[in-house]
Amino acid sequence: MTEPSQPYSNLLHRSREIGLIDSASQLLSWDQETYMPPDSLTFRAEQLAHLGGWTHRLFTKPEVGDWINACEDHGFPADSDEVANVREWRRAYDRKTKVPAELVEELQRAQAFAREAWMEARQKSEFPIFQPHLEKLLQLSLRMADCWGYEQSRYDALLESYEPGARTVALKTLFSELRPVIAELGRIAGERSARLPADMLRGQYPIAAQQAFNREVAEALSFDFKAGRIDTTAHPFCSGIGPGDCRLTTRYNEADFTESLYGILHEAGHGMYEQGLRREAHGTPLGSAASLGIHESQSRLWENHVGRSRTFWEHWLPRAAKYFPELTRFSPEEVHASVNRVEPSFIRVEADEVTYDLHIILRFEIETRLIEGTLKVADVPHVWNEEFEKLMGLKVPNDALGCLQDIHWSFGSFGYFPTYMLGNLNASQLFHRATADLPDLQSQLGHGDYSSMLGWLRSKVHQHGQRFEPLQLMRSATGEATQARYHLDYLRVKFGKVRDLAS
Amino acid sequence: MTEPSQPYSNLLHRSREIGLIDSASQLLSWDQETYMPPDSLTFRAEQLAHLGGWTHRLFTKPEVGDWINACEDHGFPADSDEVANVREWRRAYDRKTKVPAELVEELQRAQAFAREAWMEARQKSEFPIFQPHLEKLLQLSLRMADCWGYEQSRYDALLESYEPGARTVALKTLFSELRPVIAELGRIAGERSARLPADMLRGQYPIAAQQAFNREVAEALSFDFKAGRIDTTAHPFCSGIGPGDCRLTTRYNEADFTESLYGILHEAGHGMYEQGLRREAHGTPLGSAASLGIHESQSRLWENHVGRSRTFWEHWLPRAAKYFPELTRFSPEEVHASVNRVEPSFIRVEADEVTYDLHIILRFEIETRLIEGTLKVADVPHVWNEEFEKLMGLKVPNDALGCLQDIHWSFGSFGYFPTYMLGNLNASQLFHRATADLPDLQSQLGHGDYSSMLGWLRSKVHQHGQRFEPLQLMRSATGEATQARYHLDYLRVKFGKVRDLAS
């Protein structure tokens, strides 16, 4: 038997060292979006590339491979911390070392050009400007997938970057189960919502008051401001900078306070996950989030299952009215109906909870066809527009409102989009299970008491980090792997119940 | 002849790499003072130590010594960029490699304990709590000085960390020339100022208005906000984070707008120096500030020679009154007199322009005696209080208001304090020379036109980085090394002229 303690502690040490440096990169990136003066953009990009290159070299040294081999040969107990960490180091090491440096560099160059081309293409709404870049990125992604290897589908190899253990065939089954039901629900709820004025809550909501109200809500959820903060950016995000330091951002629309509020509810969901990871395990797999699909389940659970519920507004509307006196003219039911208004629209990030899923389904279908070679890049706009009309009943007027809207493809991020759907499915499944496990949950939520909800997520999800792969984590938390039916049930019940105020 | 191009470009590359990483550390430090959540303090300290250790290792590798040797053997032309960079790399390399790692670590440990002890000692005003730590730091500093080596005085070796080329014997001459004149001037100006109410400008100055006014002033000076910003901290500072990124901070007193304003004038002086360094030389000696004494000359010139002049208030008072209507009741002469009020006081950082120098003189005298072994640590409070009373005419009531007031000794930073005085002397000498070189300067300053002043500093000081050692830079800019007389003349003229409003 080999003596694993030294190789394992070497790996721990290296992993934590990389965690320290990655955390500096996180701060540099956060700062770039929040406070950095514009003139230092080029230098900041150099800095981030340098730190990223450094951690890449630290983790891909042959000694790291030797340490992992030694740990694997030793055979730690199946449920030990060690075995989980070693499994994830192996995964990361293989993915980083299987791709030749030339291919990584070629991809980085292609991404830089593609991003610029995408920006121009979107601005002019001319897909042909972006097309050769997307073709190049697709070709490079296929080469990456072949380096990484896969059993059934090349798309599996790409998915693995974002959602370890997810398989294309399983996702296709899920998505085909979801598609007709959600499309139908979108139509029905959309028709009903059409009788509700779109701008019902429109008013004058001073930014300082929005900030104070959002903070009160985030504190009530238990987002920890001793270990976090909120700033303003063009696009909301959450950055887990390091242990004891998780930062949320949102944006403010003076005419609509719900925009910043739901930004914060979403990002605080991510943030409480980060804050629930074990601080002492920072930099190691056990101190890291399980996957994008699990991360997104946390944000969507707080944003939608908690934040877009009727009980939420029963509790919070009187409190919101202290900051925004004009809200006194609304009932909780009216605000609830307004923030759950369903209307097919072109832009994913502005979509309601029902039609949002249709955007993801569409992009997943197109992505998998591109990777499987059954769709040419040149045909993407045509297919997009055709399928979009089938799903949403809307004619896409131009590519900027269609297949050019999202930035992901300009990074070559094929395989990222399905994690948005997994997030929604996992959120519904976790919330369903929590409701069963905690009989008083609905009443607590109605009183603005979120401690049981958060405690349940802490114990079932947060504290485990990457101890389990995502599907195994869902099994451990809910008794089964990710299913479609809890999300469908949730949507059916909720969007069959929205009060029809105009009738 | 050796071929120097490869060693030199290796050094350039290494130096720039270290610059990238140091800039990340700068941002981490800036963030620690501005926006960092409190819970991540320990982790941030680990991060900074890690990055600092990394750049230390990068620069102290034997290959760096070999490259420097090769460049020195080659003999670049005396006025070339190369010769200046190599000279400074040599200085830094020798200082970093001459001290054994154990001594560096012992000092770091001692600093950590000393800082805590100093905080407790100051809070309780009990010097004996700090005394053993100061003794330890003194002993370690002497050992460091012996590692570095010196010709005449051990204090020279310590000075060299902050002010390359400065010598104790020369400073003693300067300081003994300054001491009696400034002490006398402090008494005279203090007596005259005593008839001026201390709180003349006291009022209600909303923070948002102070921020807007300060920004207008900083923009007028030409501090570049595309390459910089202003934030709020407990103690004002300037951080040159990287090329195109220099950040100032100040603090706000709602009862006194001049506190944040003079904070900004001072820090903007530092900031414009940083912004005037050659961006493309970032990370190399030619892209770095010459010394602390030169840096401080820039802040003091803008704060005092420009900002505390009568012409400044003739121009800015009507503009300030737009933000603070209550100022309309004052004349520029009254504001000028108020911001130049002289009054002996215990705390250096709150001192006026005249008595400030006395604080530095006192500490320099005590520091040099400690290093030379003619004063024991245990006797510091007694000597401090005795000398303070001679200089200021005030009895020190306790050590918190006396020798425990400043943090510098808790880092073991012996040799730092004289750079504050050099900053004042250099500022007066540079301003005197600029006035001679630019006949229209006073009239331009009176119109709020700072372009000639800044242009002169850019050409004489900023653009050179570390091309010259500080004394040589002063010679190149003003025709002579740092002198006492320009500063004494400035103080005599100015504080002989302050209007006696009460008479």
Side-chain angles (χ1 to χ4, degrees), chain B residues 18-298:
Chain B
I18 290 169
L20 280 173
I21 304 162
D22 280 346
S23 161
S25 295
Q26 284 287 330
L27 184 76
L28 290 163
S29 298
W30 170 86
D31 180 71
Q32 182 171 331
E33 303 301 323
T34 50
Y35 298 117
M36 187 187 78
D39 273 13
S40 68
L41 190 61
T42 314
F43 183 75
R44 182 60 50 89
E46 271 180 70
Q47 264 183 311
L48 284 167
H50 189 83
L51 295 185
W54 180 32
T55 54
H56 182 86
R57 282 192 302 280
L58 278 176
F59 195 73
T60 53
K61 285 188 180 170
E63 64 199 19
V64 173
D66 296 341
W67 299 333
I68 296 174
N69 287 336
C71 288
E72 287 172 342
D73 289 349
H74 173 73
F76 288 101
D79 58 353
S80 62
D81 283 7
E82 287 87 346
V83 93
N85 274 336
V86 171
R87 182 192 72 228
E88 293 304 322
W89 284 325
R90 161 63 67 200
R91 186 196 314 275
Y93 183 78
D94 284 354
R95 288 184 75 79
K96 282 181 202 291
T97 56
K98 279 182 173 173
V99 179
E102 304 77 59
L103 182 51
V104 174
E105 282 160 29
E106 204 177 339
L107 180 67
Q108 282 167 347
R109 269 196 306 277
Q111 285 169 332
F113 290 120
R115 187 171 176 180
E116 275 200 56
W118 169 75
M119 284 168 67
E120 188 191 342
R122 190 177 66 155
Q123 200 208 330
K124 298 182 177 167
S125 200
E126 288 182 21
F127 184 78
I129 297 171
F130 184 49
Q131 185 185 322
H133 297 277
L134 188 54
E135 282 164 350
K136 177 81 181 169
L137 288 169
L138 177 61
Q139 178 226 327
L140 293 172
S141 296
L142 293 173
R143 282 174 57 197
M144 304 271 286
D146 291 343
C147 292
W148 286 323
Y150 51 87
E151 286 178 11
Q152 288 179 291
S153 164
R154 263 178 166 176
Y155 195 74
D156 288 352
L158 301 170
L159 268 175
E160 192 76 3
S161 296
Y162 311 106
E163 200 64 23
R167 292 293 171 263
T168 312
V169 61
L171 291 183
K172 283 188 176 175
T173 308
L174 280 179
F175 278 57
S176 60
E177 195 177 335
L178 294 163
R179 181 178 166 135
V181 186
I182 297 182
E184 178 64 12
L185 204 53
R187 263 190 296 278
I188 298 167
E191 276 166 30
R192 199 191 291 109
S193 294
R195 284 169 283 171
L196 187 73
D199 54 0
M200 194 176 87
L201 297 175
R202 204 166 179 82
Q204 265 297 322
Y205 305 99
I207 289 175
Q210 292 189 43
Q211 289 174 324
F213 177 57
N214 292 347
R215 190 177 166 111
E216 188 181 331
V217 174
E219 277 174 345
L221 301 184
S222 285
F223 178 78
D224 181 358
F225 282 92
K226 290 193 309 301
R229 48 179 295 114
I230 297 177
D231 296 274
T232 307
T233 51
H235 301 280
F237 65 85
C238 164
S239 176
I241 292 190
D245 189 355
C246 175
R247 308 190 186 186
L248 318 180
T249 74
T250 192
R251 61 180 160 205
Y252 299 92
N253 177 350
E254 285 207 271
D256 182 1
F257 77 101
T258 67
E259 198 173 317
S260 70
L261 173 67
Y262 282 105
I264 286 302
L265 284 168
H266 182 96
E267 303 309 335
H270 285 303
M272 291 187 290
Y273 186 12
E274 292 286 325
Q275 291 185 335
L277 295 168
R278 284 160 52 199
R279 281 192 193 181
E280 73 282 7
H282 181 261
T284 72
L286 285 179
S288 308
S291 72
L292 289 186
I294 299 296
H295 228 310
E296 191 74 4
S297 76
Q298 302 303 294

Side-chain angles (χ1 to χ4, degrees), chain B residues 340-400:
Chain B
N340 285 295
R341 199 174 174 281
V342 174
E343 183 179 11
S345 62
F346 297 109
I347 299 296
R348 174 183 63 90
V349 295
E350 295 166 4
D352 60 82
E353 206 180 341
V354 180
T355 61
Y356 185 92
D357 288 344
L358 299 177
H359 287 269
I360 307 171
I361 288 168
L362 171 58
R363 196 169 285 253
F364 171 72
E365 289 175 356
I366 291 180
E367 265 193 18
T368 46
R369 289 176 61 187
L370 285 172
I371 298 294
E372 287 164 2
T374 58
L375 175 65
K376 283 190 170 22
V377 168
D379 295 330
V380 164
H382 168 70
V383 172
W384 178 287
N385 297 349
E386 206 171 69
E387 293 296 317
F388 193 88
E389 193 172 350
K390 277 193 218 161
L391 278 165
M392 301 270 198
L394 292 177
K395 267 202 190 310
V396 179
N398 60 56
D399 294 338

